[in-house]
PDB file of all heavy atoms in Angstrom:
ATOM      1  N   VAL A 303     -15.058 -13.179 -19.281  1.00 98.00           N
ATOM      2  CA  VAL A 303     -14.838 -14.592 -19.573  1.00 98.00           C
ATOM      3  C   VAL A 303     -14.049 -14.721 -20.867  1.00 98.00           C
ATOM      4  O   VAL A 303     -14.190 -13.900 -21.791  1.00 98.00           O
ATOM      5  CB  VAL A 303     -16.178 -15.357 -19.671  1.00 98.00           C
ATOM      6  CG1 VAL A 303     -16.990 -14.897 -20.873  1.00 98.00           C
ATOM      7  CG2 VAL A 303     -15.934 -16.866 -19.732  1.00 98.00           C
ATOM      8  N   THR A 305     -12.980 -17.954 -23.604  1.00 98.00           N
ATOM      9  CA  THR A 305     -13.182 -19.369 -23.912  1.00 98.00           C
ATOM     10  C   THR A 305     -12.102 -19.847 -24.873  1.00 98.00           C
ATOM     11  O   THR A 305     -11.619 -19.096 -25.726  1.00 98.00           O
ATOM     12  CB  THR A 305     -14.567 -19.609 -24.534  1.00 98.00           C
ATOM     13  OG1 THR A 305     -14.687 -18.847 -25.738  1.00 98.00           O
ATOM     14  CG2 THR A 305     -15.670 -19.216 -23.563  1.00 98.00           C
ATOM     15  N   PHE A 310     -13.850 -22.813 -20.186  1.00 98.00           N
ATOM     16  CA  PHE A 310     -14.462 -21.553 -19.744  1.00 98.00           C
ATOM     17  C   PHE A 310     -13.554 -20.959 -18.684  1.00 98.00           C
ATOM     18  O   PHE A 310     -13.314 -21.576 -17.636  1.00 98.00           O
ATOM     19  CB  PHE A 310     -15.853 -21.842 -19.164  1.00 98.00           C
ATOM     20  CG  PHE A 310     -16.573 -20.655 -18.582  1.00 98.00           C
ATOM     21  CD1 PHE A 310     -17.619 -20.045 -19.281  1.00 98.00           C
ATOM     22  CD2 PHE A 310     -16.256 -20.159 -17.318  1.00 98.00           C
ATOM     23  CE1 PHE A 310     -18.315 -18.975 -18.740  1.00 98.00           C
ATOM     24  CE2 PHE A 310     -16.940 -19.076 -16.779  1.00 98.00           C
ATOM     25  CZ  PHE A 310     -17.969 -18.488 -17.495  1.00 98.00           C
ATOM     26  N   LEU A 323     -19.501 -16.305  -6.693  1.00 94.00           N
ATOM     27  CA  LEU A 323     -19.090 -16.272  -8.088  1.00 94.00           C
ATOM     28  C   LEU A 323     -19.522 -17.518  -8.850  1.00 94.00           C
ATOM     29  O   LEU A 323     -19.770 -17.456 -10.067  1.00 94.00           O
ATOM     30  CB  LEU A 323     -17.568 -16.106  -8.180  1.00 94.00           C
ATOM     31  CG  LEU A 323     -17.013 -14.760  -7.683  1.00 94.00           C
ATOM     32  CD1 LEU A 323     -15.485 -14.771  -7.721  1.00 94.00           C
ATOM     33  CD2 LEU A 323     -17.550 -13.603  -8.512  1.00 94.00           C
ATOM     34  N   HIS A 324     -19.609 -18.659  -8.176  1.00 93.00           N
ATOM     35  CA  HIS A 324     -20.014 -19.893  -8.852  1.00 93.00           C
ATOM     36  C   HIS A 324     -21.450 -19.824  -9.346  1.00 93.00           C
ATOM     37  O   HIS A 324     -21.840 -20.596 -10.226  1.00 93.00           O
ATOM     38  CB  HIS A 324     -19.836 -21.090  -7.908  1.00 93.00           C
ATOM     39  CG  HIS A 324     -20.638 -21.001  -6.658  1.00 93.00           C
ATOM     40  ND1 HIS A 324     -20.291 -20.163  -5.622  1.00 93.00           N
ATOM     41  CD2 HIS A 324     -21.773 -21.632  -6.277  1.00 93.00           C
ATOM     42  CE1 HIS A 324     -21.178 -20.289  -4.640  1.00 93.00           C
ATOM     43  NE2 HIS A 324     -22.085 -21.166  -5.018  1.00 93.00           N
ATOM     44  N   ASN A 325     -22.246 -18.898  -8.814  1.00 94.00           N
ATOM     45  CA  ASN A 325     -23.604 -18.672  -9.305  1.00 94.00           C
ATOM     46  C   ASN A 325     -23.686 -17.493 -10.272  1.00 94.00           C
ATOM     47  O   ASN A 325     -24.505 -17.490 -11.198  1.00 94.00           O
ATOM     48  CB  ASN A 325     -24.559 -18.414  -8.133  1.00 94.00           C
ATOM     49  CG  ASN A 325     -24.776 -19.640  -7.281  1.00 94.00           C
ATOM     50  OD1 ASN A 325     -24.850 -20.758  -7.799  1.00 94.00           O
ATOM     51  ND2 ASN A 325     -24.883 -19.460  -5.974  1.00 94.00           N
ATOM     52  N   PHE A 327     -21.297 -16.232 -12.443  1.00 97.00           N
ATOM     53  CA  PHE A 327     -20.729 -16.424 -13.782  1.00 97.00           C
ATOM     54  C   PHE A 327     -21.658 -17.203 -14.719  1.00 97.00           C
ATOM     55  O   PHE A 327     -21.835 -16.809 -15.881  1.00 97.00           O
ATOM     56  CB  PHE A 327     -19.352 -17.082 -13.689  1.00 97.00           C
ATOM     57  CG  PHE A 327     -18.226 -16.099 -13.580  1.00 97.00           C
ATOM     58  CD1 PHE A 327     -17.717 -15.731 -12.344  1.00 97.00           C
ATOM     59  CD2 PHE A 327     -17.677 -15.518 -14.725  1.00 97.00           C
ATOM     60  CE1 PHE A 327     -16.679 -14.816 -12.239  1.00 97.00           C
ATOM     61  CE2 PHE A 327     -16.637 -14.597 -14.632  1.00 97.00           C
ATOM     62  CZ  PHE A 327     -16.140 -14.236 -13.386  1.00 97.00           C
ATOM     63  N   PRO A 328     -22.290 -18.307 -14.275  1.00 95.00           N
ATOM     64  CA  PRO A 328     -23.232 -18.990 -15.175  1.00 95.00           C
ATOM     65  C   PRO A 328     -24.420 -18.119 -15.561  1.00 95.00           C
ATOM     66  O   PRO A 328     -24.946 -18.244 -16.671  1.00 95.00           O
ATOM     67  CB  PRO A 328     -23.687 -20.199 -14.356  1.00 95.00           C
ATOM     68  CG  PRO A 328     -22.637 -20.401 -13.335  1.00 95.00           C
ATOM     69  CD  PRO A 328     -22.105 -19.040 -13.017  1.00 95.00           C
ATOM     70  N   THR A 329     -24.819 -17.232 -14.664  1.00 95.00           N
ATOM     71  CA  THR A 329     -25.945 -16.349 -14.948  1.00 95.00           C
ATOM     72  C   THR A 329     -25.568 -15.274 -15.954  1.00 95.00           C
ATOM     73  O   THR A 329     -26.340 -14.957 -16.869  1.00 95.00           O
ATOM     74  CB  THR A 329     -26.444 -15.688 -13.647  1.00 95.00           C
ATOM     75  OG1 THR A 329     -26.821 -16.716 -12.715  1.00 95.00           O
ATOM     76  CG2 THR A 329     -27.636 -14.780 -13.907  1.00 95.00           C
ATOM     77  N   PHE A 331     -22.929 -15.352 -18.075  1.00 97.00           N
ATOM     78  CA  PHE A 331     -22.363 -15.882 -19.316  1.00 97.00           C
ATOM     79  C   PHE A 331     -22.954 -17.269 -19.613  1.00 97.00           C
ATOM     80  O   PHE A 331     -22.225 -18.266 -19.664  1.00 97.00           O
ATOM     81  CB  PHE A 331     -20.835 -15.966 -19.209  1.00 97.00           C
ATOM     82  CG  PHE A 331     -20.162 -14.668 -18.840  1.00 97.00           C
ATOM     83  CD1 PHE A 331     -19.789 -14.402 -17.523  1.00 97.00           C
ATOM     84  CD2 PHE A 331     -19.916 -13.701 -19.808  1.00 97.00           C
ATOM     85  CE1 PHE A 331     -19.177 -13.205 -17.180  1.00 97.00           C
ATOM     86  CE2 PHE A 331     -19.307 -12.502 -19.477  1.00 97.00           C
ATOM     87  CZ  PHE A 331     -18.941 -12.248 -18.156  1.00 97.00           C
ATOM     88  N   PRO A 332     -24.273 -17.342 -19.795  1.00 96.00           N
ATOM     89  CA  PRO A 332     -24.915 -18.659 -19.962  1.00 96.00           C
ATOM     90  C   PRO A 332     -24.500 -19.384 -21.237  1.00 96.00           C
ATOM     91  O   PRO A 332     -24.370 -20.621 -21.237  1.00 96.00           O
ATOM     92  CB  PRO A 332     -26.408 -18.317 -19.981  1.00 96.00           C
ATOM     93  CG  PRO A 332     -26.469 -16.891 -20.425  1.00 96.00           C
ATOM     94  CD  PRO A 332     -25.242 -16.247 -19.852  1.00 96.00           C
ATOM     95  N   HIS A 333     -24.275 -18.643 -22.326  1.00 96.00           N
ATOM     96  CA  HIS A 333     -23.916 -19.280 -23.588  1.00 96.00           C
ATOM     97  C   HIS A 333     -22.540 -19.923 -23.499  1.00 96.00           C
ATOM     98  O   HIS A 333     -22.356 -21.109 -23.838  1.00 96.00           O
ATOM     99  CB  HIS A 333     -23.946 -18.241 -24.723  1.00 96.00           C
ATOM    100  CG  HIS A 333     -23.550 -18.793 -26.052  1.00 96.00           C
ATOM    101  ND1 HIS A 333     -24.320 -19.700 -26.746  1.00 96.00           N
ATOM    102  CD2 HIS A 333     -22.434 -18.576 -26.820  1.00 96.00           C
ATOM    103  CE1 HIS A 333     -23.718 -20.023 -27.876  1.00 96.00           C
ATOM    104  NE2 HIS A 333     -22.572 -19.347 -27.939  1.00 96.00           N
ATOM    105  N   GLU A 334     -21.569 -19.151 -23.014  1.00 97.00           N
ATOM    106  CA  GLU A 334     -20.204 -19.674 -22.876  1.00 97.00           C
ATOM    107  C   GLU A 334     -20.165 -20.832 -21.870  1.00 97.00           C
ATOM    108  O   GLU A 334     -19.431 -21.806 -22.058  1.00 97.00           O
ATOM    109  CB  GLU A 334     -19.249 -18.568 -22.440  1.00 97.00           C
ATOM    110  CG  GLU A 334     -19.068 -17.457 -23.468  1.00 97.00           C
ATOM    111  CD  GLU A 334     -20.103 -16.341 -23.327  1.00 97.00           C
ATOM    112  OE1 GLU A 334     -21.140 -16.566 -22.654  1.00 97.00           O
ATOM    113  OE2 GLU A 334     -19.878 -15.264 -23.890  1.00 97.00           O
ATOM    114  N   TRP A 335     -20.954 -20.683 -20.833  1.00 96.00           N
ATOM    115  CA  TRP A 335     -20.999 -21.704 -19.783  1.00 96.00           C
ATOM    116  C   TRP A 335     -21.536 -23.040 -20.317  1.00 96.00           C
ATOM    117  O   TRP A 335     -20.983 -24.110 -20.041  1.00 96.00           O
ATOM    118  CB  TRP A 335     -21.893 -21.211 -18.649  1.00 96.00           C
ATOM    119  CG  TRP A 335     -21.947 -22.106 -17.464  1.00 96.00           C
ATOM    120  CD1 TRP A 335     -22.859 -23.089 -17.209  1.00 96.00           C
ATOM    121  CD2 TRP A 335     -21.057 -22.122 -16.368  1.00 96.00           C
ATOM    122  NE1 TRP A 335     -22.596 -23.706 -16.032  1.00 96.00           N
ATOM    123  CE2 TRP A 335     -21.481 -23.130 -15.489  1.00 96.00           C
ATOM    124  CE3 TRP A 335     -19.927 -21.377 -16.039  1.00 96.00           C
ATOM    125  CZ2 TRP A 335     -20.831 -23.420 -14.301  1.00 96.00           C
ATOM    126  CZ3 TRP A 335     -19.268 -21.656 -14.848  1.00 96.00           C
ATOM    127  CH2 TRP A 335     -19.724 -22.663 -13.994  1.00 96.00           C
ATOM    128  N   SER A 336     -22.585 -22.964 -21.108  1.00 95.00           N
ATOM    129  CA  SER A 336     -23.246 -24.188 -21.569  1.00 95.00           C
ATOM    130  C   SER A 336     -22.378 -24.982 -22.544  1.00 95.00           C
ATOM    131  O   SER A 336     -22.518 -26.204 -22.653  1.00 95.00           O
ATOM    132  CB  SER A 336     -24.586 -23.837 -22.228  1.00 95.00           C
ATOM    133  OG  SER A 336     -24.384 -23.068 -23.409  1.00 95.00           O
ATOM    134  N   LYS A 337     -21.482 -24.296 -23.251  1.00 95.00           N
ATOM    135  CA  LYS A 337     -20.652 -24.971 -24.255  1.00 95.00           C
ATOM    136  C   LYS A 337     -19.375 -25.561 -23.664  1.00 95.00           C
ATOM    137  O   LYS A 337     -18.633 -26.262 -24.352  1.00 95.00           O
ATOM    138  CB  LYS A 337     -20.297 -23.993 -25.372  1.00 95.00           C
ATOM    139  CG  LYS A 337     -21.498 -23.521 -26.182  1.00 95.00           C
ATOM    140  CD  LYS A 337     -21.094 -22.497 -27.222  1.00 95.00           C
ATOM    141  CE  LYS A 337     -20.215 -23.099 -28.298  1.00 95.00           C
ATOM    142  NZ  LYS A 337     -19.888 -22.136 -29.371  1.00 95.00           N
ATOM    143  N   ALA A 338     -19.104 -25.270 -22.406  1.00 97.00           N
ATOM    144  CA  ALA A 338     -17.834 -25.682 -21.800  1.00 97.00           C
ATOM    145  C   ALA A 338     -17.974 -26.991 -21.025  1.00 97.00           C
ATOM    146  O   ALA A 338     -19.035 -27.306 -20.478  1.00 97.00           O
ATOM    147  CB  ALA A 338     -17.330 -24.592 -20.877  1.00 97.00           C
ATOM    148  N   LYS A 339     -16.862 -27.730 -20.973  1.00 96.00           N
ATOM    149  CA  LYS A 339     -16.765 -28.914 -20.127  1.00 96.00           C
ATOM    150  C   LYS A 339     -15.809 -28.680 -18.963  1.00 96.00           C
ATOM    151  O   LYS A 339     -15.951 -29.295 -17.908  1.00 96.00           O
ATOM    152  CB  LYS A 339     -16.307 -30.105 -20.953  1.00 96.00           C
ATOM    153  CG  LYS A 339     -17.353 -30.604 -21.940  1.00 96.00           C
ATOM    154  CD  LYS A 339     -16.872 -31.856 -22.649  1.00 96.00           C
ATOM    155  CE  LYS A 339     -17.934 -32.380 -23.605  1.00 96.00           C
ATOM    156  NZ  LYS A 339     -17.479 -33.596 -24.324  1.00 96.00           N
ATOM    157  N   ARG A 341     -14.449 -25.726 -16.510  1.00 98.00           N
ATOM    158  CA  ARG A 341     -14.826 -24.371 -16.098  1.00 98.00           C
ATOM    159  C   ARG A 341     -13.924 -23.913 -14.950  1.00 98.00           C
ATOM    160  O   ARG A 341     -13.824 -24.576 -13.925  1.00 98.00           O
ATOM    161  CB  ARG A 341     -16.290 -24.327 -15.679  1.00 98.00           C
ATOM    162  CG  ARG A 341     -17.252 -24.788 -16.789  1.00 98.00           C
ATOM    163  CD  ARG A 341     -18.696 -24.790 -16.312  1.00 98.00           C
ATOM    164  NE  ARG A 341     -19.607 -25.133 -17.379  1.00 98.00           N
ATOM    165  CZ  ARG A 341     -20.202 -26.339 -17.521  1.00 98.00           C
ATOM    166  NH1 ARG A 341     -19.931 -27.297 -16.639  1.00 98.00           N
ATOM    167  NH2 ARG A 341     -21.036 -26.565 -18.523  1.00 98.00           N
ATOM    168  N   GLU A 342     -13.303 -22.764 -15.162  1.00 98.00           N
ATOM    169  CA  GLU A 342     -12.384 -22.184 -14.174  1.00 98.00           C
ATOM    170  C   GLU A 342     -12.789 -20.732 -13.904  1.00 98.00           C
ATOM    171  O   GLU A 342     -13.206 -20.018 -14.823  1.00 98.00           O
ATOM    172  CB  GLU A 342     -10.939 -22.206 -14.703  1.00 98.00           C
ATOM    173  CG  GLU A 342     -10.364 -23.572 -14.942  1.00 98.00           C
ATOM    174  CD  GLU A 342      -9.383 -23.988 -13.855  1.00 98.00           C
ATOM    175  OE1 GLU A 342      -8.866 -23.098 -13.138  1.00 98.00           O
ATOM    176  OE2 GLU A 342      -9.138 -25.199 -13.718  1.00 98.00           O
ATOM    177  N   ILE A 343     -12.651 -20.306 -12.669  1.00 98.00           N
ATOM    178  CA  ILE A 343     -12.774 -18.890 -12.312  1.00 98.00           C
ATOM    179  C   ILE A 343     -11.489 -18.490 -11.605  1.00 98.00           C
ATOM    180  O   ILE A 343     -11.069 -19.138 -10.639  1.00 98.00           O
ATOM    181  CB  ILE A 343     -13.990 -18.628 -11.403  1.00 98.00           C
ATOM    182  CG1 ILE A 343     -15.282 -18.919 -12.157  1.00 98.00           C
ATOM    183  CG2 ILE A 343     -13.986 -17.183 -10.905  1.00 98.00           C
ATOM    184  CD1 ILE A 343     -16.529 -18.791 -11.312  1.00 98.00           C
ATOM    185  N   ILE A 356     -16.290 -26.527  -6.916  1.00 94.00           N
ATOM    186  CA  ILE A 356     -17.710 -26.380  -6.571  1.00 94.00           C
ATOM    187  C   ILE A 356     -18.539 -26.951  -7.713  1.00 94.00           C
ATOM    188  O   ILE A 356     -18.703 -26.330  -8.765  1.00 94.00           O
ATOM    189  CB  ILE A 356     -18.074 -24.912  -6.315  1.00 94.00           C
ATOM    190  CG1 ILE A 356     -17.149 -24.315  -5.236  1.00 94.00           C
ATOM    191  CG2 ILE A 356     -19.533 -24.783  -5.895  1.00 94.00           C
ATOM    192  CD1 ILE A 356     -17.367 -22.852  -4.972  1.00 94.00           C
ATOM    193  N   PHE A 357     -19.033 -28.163  -7.529  1.00 90.00           N
ATOM    194  CA  PHE A 357     -19.840 -28.848  -8.543  1.00 90.00           C
ATOM    195  C   PHE A 357     -19.149 -28.854  -9.908  1.00 90.00           C
ATOM    196  O   PHE A 357     -19.751 -28.560 -10.937  1.00 90.00           O
ATOM    197  CB  PHE A 357     -21.236 -28.218  -8.645  1.00 90.00           C
ATOM    198  CG  PHE A 357     -22.061 -28.390  -7.408  1.00 90.00           C
ATOM    199  CD1 PHE A 357     -22.178 -27.359  -6.495  1.00 90.00           C
ATOM    200  CD2 PHE A 357     -22.702 -29.594  -7.138  1.00 90.00           C
ATOM    201  CE1 PHE A 357     -22.928 -27.509  -5.341  1.00 90.00           C
ATOM    202  CE2 PHE A 357     -23.453 -29.751  -5.978  1.00 90.00           C
ATOM    203  CZ  PHE A 357     -23.565 -28.720  -5.077  1.00 90.00           C
ATOM    204  N   GLY A 358     -17.869 -29.197  -9.902  1.00 89.00           N
ATOM    205  CA  GLY A 358     -17.129 -29.308 -11.151  1.00 89.00           C
ATOM    206  C   GLY A 358     -16.572 -28.012 -11.680  1.00 89.00           C
ATOM    207  O   GLY A 358     -16.002 -27.990 -12.778  1.00 89.00           O
ATOM    208  N   MET A 359     -16.712 -26.925 -10.937  1.00 93.00           N
ATOM    209  CA  MET A 359     -16.127 -25.647 -11.346  1.00 93.00           C
ATOM    210  C   MET A 359     -15.019 -25.284 -10.359  1.00 93.00           C
ATOM    211  O   MET A 359     -15.248 -25.217  -9.151  1.00 93.00           O
ATOM    212  CB  MET A 359     -17.177 -24.545 -11.357  1.00 93.00           C
ATOM    213  CG  MET A 359     -16.594 -23.175 -11.601  1.00 93.00           C
ATOM    214  SD  MET A 359     -17.859 -21.918 -11.801  1.00 93.00           S
ATOM    215  CE  MET A 359     -18.880 -22.252 -10.372  1.00 93.00           C
ATOM    216  N   MET A 360     -13.821 -25.039 -10.887  1.00 96.00           N
ATOM    217  CA  MET A 360     -12.707 -24.645 -10.029  1.00 96.00           C
ATOM    218  C   MET A 360     -12.737 -23.134  -9.825  1.00 96.00           C
ATOM    219  O   MET A 360     -12.633 -22.365 -10.791  1.00 96.00           O
ATOM    220  CB  MET A 360     -11.374 -25.059 -10.640  1.00 96.00           C
ATOM    221  CG  MET A 360     -11.020 -26.514 -10.430  1.00 96.00           C
ATOM    222  SD  MET A 360     -10.987 -27.045  -8.699  1.00 96.00           S
ATOM    223  CE  MET A 360      -9.789 -25.922  -7.995  1.00 96.00           C
TER     224      MET A 360
END
Side-chain angles (χ1 to χ4, degrees):
V303 67
T305 59
F310 176 104
L323 293 175
H324 60 285
N325 291 323
F327 270 95
T329 302
F331 305 98
H333 178 69
E334 295 88 343
W335 185 267
S336 65
K337 295 177 67 176
K339 290 184 178 179
R341 302 177 176 103
E342 296 256 340
I343 295 176
I356 305 176
F357 295 100
M359 173 173 50
M360 280 304 303

